[in-house]
Structures are given as structure tokens and as C-alpha cells.
């Protein structure tokens, strides 16, 4: 079998049986006394540092615009009045704010398209390192927008931050899937989703009125972005490049063997090296395929359909609307304004806990049950939420039932659909197809994200316009 068939077979069979302990950190044991399979210190550090400067920032930027919304809109109005001599009208302000939120996704699409070119020459690790330049530049632009009195700086900063997110959400899952043993690939892949949730929670936490969610300090919410980027910038250089990249792209067998030893935490890596070399012999005369070539490959058709559908559902299921506009949604549900920031914070806590639980059980339960079960539960709770929002004026307790439904939707999403699409993209395709597959998945991801961010504010007001 070639690597594509092996990958598909692994997904169909589900979790691999436990093997002998290898590469674990000293003292890392399960409650039953067995060492954890494949978890070396270097692997843990690489996943944490990689995710902190990548998927964490993506999640943070999903939620950070929520708390300071009224202050940013006031800033836009003041800037507009200073330039044009009259206040901005409501429709223009709504459009300007929608562009501010959704242009993050346009930047993400640009970053996704840049990934193949950058990744080919720089590799996975150095792509992540260079990507920090986008994050730091965006942080400076957005943090300085209020003192400079330039709303364009905030919008451009959001775009550049989107470029960072587009590159990160392609490079990080690829890096993690290529450095991890297959026995824990699903669990390690969930690190991407876990740190997205932690980023969302951190954005909500710092947005509290007691912290940075005030009129005088909201620019610092965006300046904080530079801190995780700097941590990754000074930490990641001490970790190896992806061994698969070194072997396939750089033809550096000695470097790949050394990287395997570091990530697996053991000296004998002959089995892992032979597996990769076998894949290399199968693909010896196959170069990296383009997106068009991948779309024309019959053997990859069902993998592509699966990735496109799951990635589209990942965005269009409505979770990003909740992250972007949480305060507005809770306000429409009748929650008192003074309670909204703290209820919003609970959504971040719930999604982080659900993502961690998913990472712990994914190898035992498999990808498909978590994916189908998560979307099924979301469908159920969205149906109940529709009823509670319709009847919210009939009893004082109905808005709180809406909160329970929203929390249940978030937990269902993060238990599977929130991270598995990124894992599938890394597992379904051969090495030569993987960069093109991430471009396809990323394009669907960011275009769907853009649609949600741009159209949701208008969808919110549309029913009232129709009723009038």
C-alpha cells in the first residue's frame, strides 16, 4: 500500500492498539502505571510553542474584537466626524465594522495561498518563525490606531493578522502531523484546536471591564498579540525541523534521523525512518502537486470532498458568529448588559474544557464518531435555541435557557468538529499532495469565515426590516 492507503486504513480502523512505551518524558505515566505512548519532552514543547504563536493567536483574534466593539465604533464615529464634519450614518458604520471583522478572513485566504510558496523554501518550522513578523507588525498597527487617529491602521492590522492566521493554520497542523508518532497523531493534532479555544478564552478574559475592556485601554488588547509571537520567535529555533520535510524536500537523511531522535525521545528510530523512506521510494518520481493537479486526481477525490465539507461546516455552522459577536447575541437574547462579559467568559471556558477532553479521547473513539456526534448535537441544540429565542419575552427564565443552549452548542463543536478537520487534512494525503490539500482546505475555511463575519450583522437586523 502507498502512504495514502495507509493513512486511509488508519482512519477506518480507528485508534491504534497501545504499543511499547517510547520517548516519554521522565515520570509521564498513566493512572494505571503505563508510560504514555510517544510523548517526548521535545514533542510536547514543540506542540505548545508552535500552537502558542499560531492557533492561539487565531483564536484570540476571533474573540478580541467582541468586548471593545462600542469603543471602536465610537472611535470610528469620532474619526469620521473629524474628517467629514458630520457623524457617520448607521448603515455606513455597520458596513465599516463588518469589514473590520471580516477582513481578518480575507487576510487568512491570502496567507493560505502564500503558504505553499513560503513552505517549500523555508520548511515548516521557519515558516512559523517568519510568520511572527506578520503578527508583530499587526499588533503595532492596531495598538497605535487610536493614538494616531487612523481607523485604517486597525483595518489593515486586522488584514495582516489574518495573513498570519492563514499561514499558521496551514503550517502548524502540517508540522505537528509530520513530527508526531502515528499512535498519538490525533491527540497531538487536537493541540491546534485546544489552543484556538484557549486563545478565544484569553481574548474574552482580557476584554473584561476590570482588565483591558475599557475605553482608555482597548488598544492594548491588540498590542498583547505581540507577546505570544515573541515567545515563539525566541523558543522555536531550538527545536528541529520536520523530519519528513528534511528527508523529502532537503534530502537530508542525517538531519531527519536526528530530528526523529529528538521528537521521539529515543535513540533507535530505524523503524520510523524506514517507514518514511518507504513512502519516499513510492513517491521518488512524484513532485509536489499543484491545486489543479490535486483536484484532477481521481484517487484523492473522496478525501477532498470530505475535507471541503468538514471545513465548510466548521465555519458555516455559526460558531464564528458567536465568537465575533457574543455580546450582541446575548444582548438580543435579553441578558442584562452588566452580566454579558462574564457570561461570555464562560463560553471560552466551556470550549477549552471540551477541546481538552476531545484531545484525550480521540485516539480511543476515533475521528468519525466525534465529528458526526459533535455536529449532531449542535443541530439539536441549535433547534432548541431557535425556539428559546423566539419565546424569550414569554418568561424571565427563557433567556437563561438560551445561554445553556449556546454553551451546549460550543461544547459540542469543540468536542470534535472544532479540530478534526485540520487533522484529516494532514492525514488523508500523501506528502506530495499535502501542501495543495491545505490550500484547498484553507481557502474553504477562510472564504466561509469571511461570509460569516461580513453578513452576520446584516442578518441580525434583517428580520426587523422585513417585519416593518
Amino acid at each position: 500500500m502507498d502512504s495514502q492507503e495507509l493513512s486511509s486504513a488508519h482512519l477506518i480502523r480507528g485508534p491504534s492498539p497501545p504499543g511499547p512505551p517510547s520517548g516519554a518524558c521522565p515520570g509521564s505515566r498513566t493512572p494505571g502505571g503505563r508510560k504514555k505512548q510517544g510523548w517526548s519532552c521535545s514533542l510536547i514543547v514543540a506542540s505548545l510553542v508552535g500552537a502558542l504563536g499560531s492557533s492561539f493567536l487565531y483564536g484570540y483574534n476571533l474573540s478580541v474584537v467582541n468586548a471593545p466593539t462600542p469603543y471602536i465604533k465610537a472611535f470610528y464615529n469620532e474619526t469620521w466626524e473629524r474628517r467629514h464634519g458630520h457623524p457617520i450614518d448607521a448603515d455606513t458604520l455597520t458596513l465599516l465594522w463588518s469589514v473590520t471583522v471580516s477582513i481578518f478572513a480575507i487576510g487568512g485566504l491570502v496567507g493560505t495561498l502564500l503558504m505553499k510558496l513560503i513552505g517549500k523554501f523555508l520548511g515548516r518550522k521557519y515558516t512559523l518563525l517568519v510568520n511572527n513578523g506578520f503578527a508583530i507588525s499587526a499588533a503595532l498597527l492596531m495598538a497605535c490606531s487610536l493614538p494616531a487617529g487612523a481607523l485604517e491602521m486597525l483595518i489593515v492590522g486586522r488584514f495582516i493578522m489574518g495573513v498570519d492566521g492563514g499561514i499558521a493554520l496551514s503550517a502548524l497542523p502540517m508540522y505537528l502531523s509530520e513530527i508526531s508518532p502515528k499512535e498519538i497523531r490525533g491527540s497531538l493534532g487536537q493541540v491546534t484546536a485546544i489552543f484556538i479555544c484557549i486563545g478565544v478564552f484569553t481574548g474574552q478574559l482580557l476584554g473584561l471591564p476590570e482588565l483591558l475592556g475599557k475605553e482608555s485601554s482597548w488598544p492594548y488588547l491588540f498590542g498583547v498579540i505581540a507577546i505570544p509571537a515573541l515567545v515563539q520567535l525566541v523558543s522555536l529555533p531550538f527545536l528541529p525541523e520536520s523530519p519528513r520535510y528534511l528527508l523529502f524536500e532537503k534530502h537530508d537523511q542525517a538531519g531527519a534521523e536526528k530530528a526523529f531522535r529528538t521528537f521521539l525521545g529515543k535513540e533507535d528510530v530505524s523503524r520510523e525512518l524506514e517507514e518514511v523512506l518507504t513512502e519516499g521510494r513510492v513517491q521518488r518520481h512524484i513532485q509536489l502537486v499543484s491545486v489543479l493537479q490535486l483536484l484532477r486526481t481521481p484517487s484523492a477525490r473522496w478525501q477532498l470532498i470530505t475535507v471541503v465539507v468538514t471545513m465548510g461546516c466548521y465555519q458555516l455552522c455559526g460558531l464564528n458568529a458567536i465568537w465575533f459577536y457574543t455580546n450582541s447575541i446575548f444582548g438580543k437574547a435579553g441578558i442584562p448588559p452588566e452580566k454579558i462579559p462574564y457570561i461570555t467568559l464562560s463560553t471560552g471556558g466551556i470550549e477549552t474544557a471540551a477541546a481538552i477532553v476531545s484531545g484525550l479521547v480521540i485516539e480511543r473513539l476515533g475521528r468519525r464518531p466525534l465529528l458526526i456526534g459533535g455536529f449532531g448535537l449542535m443541530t439539536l441544540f441549535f433547534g432548541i435555541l431557535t425556539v428559546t429565542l423566539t419565546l424569550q419575552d414569554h418568561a424571565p427564565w427563557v433567556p437563561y435557557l438560551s445561554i445553556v443552549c449556546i454553551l451546549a452548542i460550543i461544547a459540542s463543536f469543540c468536542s470534535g468538529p472544532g479540530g478534526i478537520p485540520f487533522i484529516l487534512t494532514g492525514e488523508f494525503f500523501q506528502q506530495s499532495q499535502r501542501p495543495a490539500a491545505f490550500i484547498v482546505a484553507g481557502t474553504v475555511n477562510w472564504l466561509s469565515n469571511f461570509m460569516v463575519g461580513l453578513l452576520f450583522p446584516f442578518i441580525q437586523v434583517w428580520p426587523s426590516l422585513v417585519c416593518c
Side-chain angles (χ1 to χ4, degrees):
M1 288 193 295
D2 62 19
S3 62
Q4 180 180 345
E5 292 168 334
L6 286 169
S7 176
S8 299
H10 170 69
L11 290 170
I12 293 170
R13 287 196 303 269
S16 303
S22 63
C25 293
S28 62
R29 295 177 179 270
T30 61
R34 293 180 292 104
K35 286 186 178 180
K36 294 180 181 178
Q37 177 75 17
W39 290 97
S40 72
C41 291
S42 296
L43 197 59
I44 293 171
V45 172
S47 62
L48 295 180
V49 170
L52 179 66
S54 302
S55 58
F56 173 87
L57 288 180
Y58 169 75
Y60 183 84
N61 279 278
L62 288 178
S63 65
V64 73
V65 294
N66 180 51
T69 297
Y71 308 127
I72 297 176
K73 287 184 175 180
F75 165 57
Y76 282 3
N77 189 46
E78 292 169 7
T79 304
W80 185 279
E81 188 170 3
R82 186 176 64 251
R83 293 178 181 179
H84 302 282
H86 59 83
I88 190 171
D89 64 88
D91 291 338
T92 304
L93 182 59
T94 300
L95 178 61
L96 201 56
W97 179 240
S98 297
V99 170
T100 303
V101 173
S102 59
I103 202 169
F104 176 67
I106 296 298
L109 178 59
V110 173
T112 299
L113 298 177
L114 287 174
M115 172 55 204
K116 186 178 180 182
L117 178 64
I118 298 174
K120 180 178 180 180
F121 292 103
L122 297 181
R124 317 307 187 224
K125 184 181 83 168
Y126 287 102
T127 296
L128 290 172
L129 285 172
V130 169
N131 196 35
N132 290 305
F134 290 110
I136 295 170
S137 300
L140 292 174
L141 278 171
M142 292 187 288
C144 295
S145 59
L146 180 62
L151 59 88
E152 296 84 1
M153 291 175 65
L154 184 59
I155 296 173
V156 173
R158 286 281 293 175
F159 173 80
I160 296 174
M161 199 61 233
V163 174
D164 172 271
I167 295 173
L169 289 190
S170 295
L172 178 66
M174 208 180 303
Y175 183 58
L176 295 182
S177 70
E178 291 178 1
I179 68 174
S180 57
K182 63 182 180 182
E183 294 87 357
I184 61 169
R185 194 165 292 156
S187 296
L188 195 69
Q190 277 294 91
V191 170
T192 300
I194 291 170
F195 269 78
I196 289 175
C197 295
I198 294 174
V200 170
F201 179 75
T202 304
Q204 294 168 342
L205 178 64
L206 294 181
L208 290 176
E210 292 83 356
L211 297 176
L212 299 179
K214 301 188 288 285
E215 187 172 8
S216 59
S217 57
W218 67 259
Y220 297 114
L221 281 169
F222 298 100
V224 167
I225 291 168
I227 297 175
L230 288 171
V231 171
Q232 188 185 83
L233 198 59
V234 300
S235 304
L236 202 57
F238 297 99
L239 295 164
E241 175 59 272
S242 158
R244 285 176 172 267
Y245 172 80
L246 291 172
L247 201 58
F248 288 150
E249 303 294 332
K250 296 299 183 181
H251 309 291
D252 182 4
Q253 183 168 336
E257 190 171 349
K258 183 179 178 181
F260 268 128
R261 286 199 190 101
T262 301
F263 285 128
L264 300 182
K266 61 181 182 178
E267 286 299 316
D268 183 12
V269 294
S270 55
R271 180 175 64 87
E272 290 80 8
L273 197 62
E274 182 57 34
E275 288 178 359
V276 180
L277 287 171
T278 301
E279 182 180 345
R281 283 192 288 270
V282 172
Q283 303 182 58
R284 181 175 299 166
H285 303 295
I286 302 177
Q287 296 182 343
L288 289 178
V289 302
S290 66
V291 171
L292 191 58
Q293 288 172 325
L294 181 63
L295 294 174
R296 290 176 174 174
T297 303
S299 61
R301 187 161 299 149
W302 279 108
Q303 292 95 314
L304 277 171
I305 291 173
T306 303
V307 166
V308 167
V309 170
T310 55
M311 196 62 80
C313 292
Y314 169 82
Q315 292 290 352
L316 296 177
C317 67
L319 256 291
N320 274 358
I322 292 176
W323 284 333
F324 282 147
Y325 304 106
T326 310
N327 287 9
S328 175
I329 291 172
F330 284 144
K332 297 285 185 182
I335 305 302
E338 64 275 8
K339 295 182 180 180
I340 288 177
Y342 308 98
I343 297 174
T344 297
L345 191 62
S346 68
T347 66
I350 289 289
E351 66 197 7
T352 302
I356 292 172
V357 170
S358 175
L360 295 174
V361 303
I362 186 171
E363 294 297 348
R364 181 173 299 176
L365 298 181
R367 281 65 160 157
R368 190 168 66 173
L370 288 176
L371 198 62
I372 295 175
F375 278 130
L377 288 173
M378 288 180 70
T379 303
L380 171 64
F381 289 118
F382 265 126
I384 299 173
L385 180 63
T386 302
V387 175
T388 60
L389 289 176
T390 303
L391 302 176
Q392 66 184 15
D393 296 328
H394 287 65
W397 52 266
V398 175
Y400 295 95
L401 185 57
S402 299
I403 294 175
V404 173
C405 289
I406 290 174
L407 294 178
I409 289 166
I410 291 171
S412 303
F413 175 80
C414 293
S415 66
I420 290 177
F422 298 100
I423 299 173
L424 295 184
T425 309
E427 290 183 333
F428 270 171
F429 299 92
Q430 299 173 359
Q431 184 78 13
S432 60
Q433 298 171 332
R434 202 167 288 139
F438 271 99
I439 289 177
V440 173
T443 300
V444 173
N445 175 35
W446 289 105
L447 284 178
S448 303
N449 186 306
F450 173 75
M451 290 170 58
V452 172
L454 181 66
L455 298 179
F456 186 76
F458 296 98
I459 294 173
Q460 278 188 302
V461 301
W462 180 74
S464 59
L465 295 176
V466 172
C467 293
C468 293

